[in-house]
Amino acid sequence: MIIIMKNNATKEQVAHVVKKIKEAGLDVNVDQGSEHVVIGVKGDTRKIATDGFNAYEGVERSVKISKSYKLTSREFHPQDTVVDVDGVKIGDGSFVTMAGPCSIEGLAQIRETARMAKVGGAQILRGGAFKPRTSPYAFQGLEEEGLKYIRQAADELDMKVITEVMDESHIEMVAAYSDILQIGARNMQNYKLLQAVGKTGKPIGLKRGISGTIDEWLNAAEYIAVQDKSPVIFIERGIRTYEPMTRNTFDLSAVPLIKKLSHFPIIVDPSHGTGVWDLVAPMARAGVAAGADGMIVEIHPDPANAWSDGQQSLNEKTYLKMMQEVDILVDAMKKIKQIEA
Ligand code: PEP
Ligand code: MN
């Protein structure tokens, strides 16, 4: 349930409603919207009569949200949430690129990749130090050593860092080096991990599960949102279908759909979405056109010798070309958004 306060409601009226909700044994999340304060009621609201709250002073109306996710929903927060990654804004109408290798392989490699990423216009450096690999014999990541390297490479170029955290026991360590914590597709429904990263206050890049439905993905975000600390950035990375020619089936309709259902930003991952390097640029362009707030893309100075995901990584030339094309479309999208407004 959400309680929408009148736009002239006083602080005391808001506090009174909050008190009444707490007396009913429920918890709240107060959202200071640009026009109205919206009070989200957390917990089992089935036994609460919605109408009861309408009688309190300052309340405009209360609405039961029948969806299983609430704080993530547009109803709760009608305006777009802008995620501030230490100064880099995601969801403010701009298009933010996160680029880097699948795996951090060493200091020289991540430095060189960061240089390429920056030249193309990326503001955030990606790179895995904890790698979820299908085979237990495949390279599993440089762990803390890799985290040190990516932080150093990013700092040298004034970039931000996104990297994956796979395990609750590593959250503190990864958070010490990274600006965004990435939850990988394989962990989208690792609810304990979601709850724990949600307590860090760092933005969470939440990949869509390999077979995750939109509804499951939104509920996964809710596990983070309900902790009341960390904003979510959805990352569409394709889903498993019967089609073997691409690694995944890139679901671009997720972009406008998530935007309709949630206030959190969504970015696209055309690298894992296709798994084939020469399909990455067309799908990145399509991501811009679909209205994504940014993208995360795998690049490597020498894709043929990458330790993971070389087949879907762009080299400097193909990456820079893609970024030029993306820039053209970002400008075109600004005009389209003006028509829509
Ligand atoms: C990655 O970003 O390298 C990765 C492992 O992605 P996903 O979790 O989407 O498979
Ligand atoms: Mn990868």
Side-chain angles (χ1 to χ4, degrees):
M1 179 165 74
I2 57 172
I3 298 167
I4 302 158
M5 302 298 291
K6 291 186 174 145
N7 55 13
N8 59 357
T10 64
K11 276 194 185 131
E12 290 72 28
Q13 288 168 341
V14 173
H16 183 66
V17 175
V18 167
K19 184 166 156 262
K20 288 290 168 194
I21 297 165
K22 290 196 168 160
E23 278 172 12
L26 295 159
D27 203 359
V28 296
N29 178 300
V30 181
D31 187 70
Q32 197 72 48
S34 57
E35 284 172 20
H36 303 260
V37 169
V38 180
I39 303 173
V41 184
K42 299 193 277 189
D44 186 354
T45 55
R46 277 174 301 184
K47 294 199 189 78
I48 301 224
T50 319
D51 296 352
F53 286 96
N54 292 341
Y56 292 119
E57 279 182 57
V59 172
E60 186 171 293
R61 68 197 149 93
S62 40
V63 188
K64 279 233 168 170
I65 301 183
S66 52
K67 291 171 177 144
S68 48
Y69 57 90
K70 300 178 198 306
L71 307 181
T72 303
S73 71
R74 269 275 172 210
E75 285 97 325
F76 173 60
H77 192 287
Q79 303 86 19
D80 289 342
T81 285
V82 179
V83 178
D84 188 338
V85 185
D86 195 17
V88 175
K89 303 244 175 17
I90 302 177
D92 67 348
S94 60
F95 189 84
V96 174
T97 297
M98 311 178 183
C102 180
S103 298
I104 303 156
E105 299 166 12
L107 182 58
Q109 173 252 15
I110 190 72
R111 264 181 155 161
E112 172 58 7
T113 317
R115 184 197 60 74
M116 283 165 50
K118 177 100 182 182
V119 174
Q123 291 168 280
I124 301 177
L125 184 61
R126 67 144 289 148
F130 291 94
K131 294 304 307 173
R133 303 304 299 280
T134 302
S135 164
Y137 307 116
F139 174 60
Q140 305 282 312
L142 293 180
E143 305 195 347
E144 190 165 13
E145 188 192 347
L147 295 173
K148 286 186 181 151
Y149 295 156
I150 193 171
R151 183 76 260 170
Q152 182 183 332
D155 285 347
E156 284 171 0
L157 296 173
D158 193 25
M159 296 178 81
K160 311 299 168 205
V161 171
I162 177 169
T163 195
E164 177 163 356
V165 56
M166 286 174 59
D167 191 289
E168 251 184 283
S169 67
H170 295 144
I171 293 174
E172 213 181 318
M173 183 211 293
V174 177
Y177 296 97
S178 192
D179 302 298
I180 304 174
L181 302 180
Q182 177 177 324
I183 296 295
R186 292 154 192 80
N187 273 319
M188 186 198 84
Q189 288 179 306
N190 183 339
Y191 299 122
K192 290 286 172 210
L193 182 63
L194 298 176
Q195 285 169 333
V197 291
K199 293 191 175 91
T200 61
K202 296 254 176 184
I204 308 301
L206 179 63
K207 292 258 194 148
R208 182 171 178 183
I210 289 172
S211 304
T213 65
I214 297 284
D215 195 66
E216 287 163 347
W217 197 13
L218 289 159
N219 276 286
E222 189 77 5
Y223 271 88
I224 297 164
V226 79
Q227 307 301 322
D228 238 353
K229 290 210 166 63
S230 289
V232 174
I233 302 158
F234 288 101
I235 307 177
E236 164 58 40
R237 47 79 74 206
I239 44 175
R240 172 81 47 96
T241 68
Y242 50 77
E243 177 52 63
M245 285 204 190
T246 47
R247 179 174 179 178
N248 290 296
T249 295
F250 194 38
D251 180 12
L252 275 171
S253 67
V255 175
L257 189 48
I258 287 284
K259 287 217 159 278
K260 185 163 70 175
L261 297 173
S262 177
H263 52 92
F264 287 125
I266 175 164
I267 67 167
V268 291
D269 174 351
S271 309
H272 295 87
T274 61
V276 185
W277 76 267
D278 60 355
L279 301 183
V280 171
M283 288 299 98
R285 300 192 306 249
V288 181
D293 298 293
M295 72 167 150
I296 183 164
V297 62
E298 287 184 343
I299 62 173
H300 195 283
D302 180 13
N305 288 301
W307 293 5
S308 60
D309 285 353
Q311 77 293 345
Q312 64 190 37
S313 299
L314 301 182
N315 62 22
E316 182 159 9
K317 194 167 152 230
T318 51
Y319 164 66
L320 294 180
K321 181 167 172 284
M322 174 188 73
M323 291 301 275
Q324 274 185 339
E325 297 163 356
V326 160
D327 284 348
I328 293 168
L329 286 163
V330 168
D331 281 344
M333 277 307 284
K334 281 188 195 139
K335 292 188 193 133
I336 289 174
K337 282 175 190 163
Q338 276 167 5
I339 300 172
E340 280 172 352

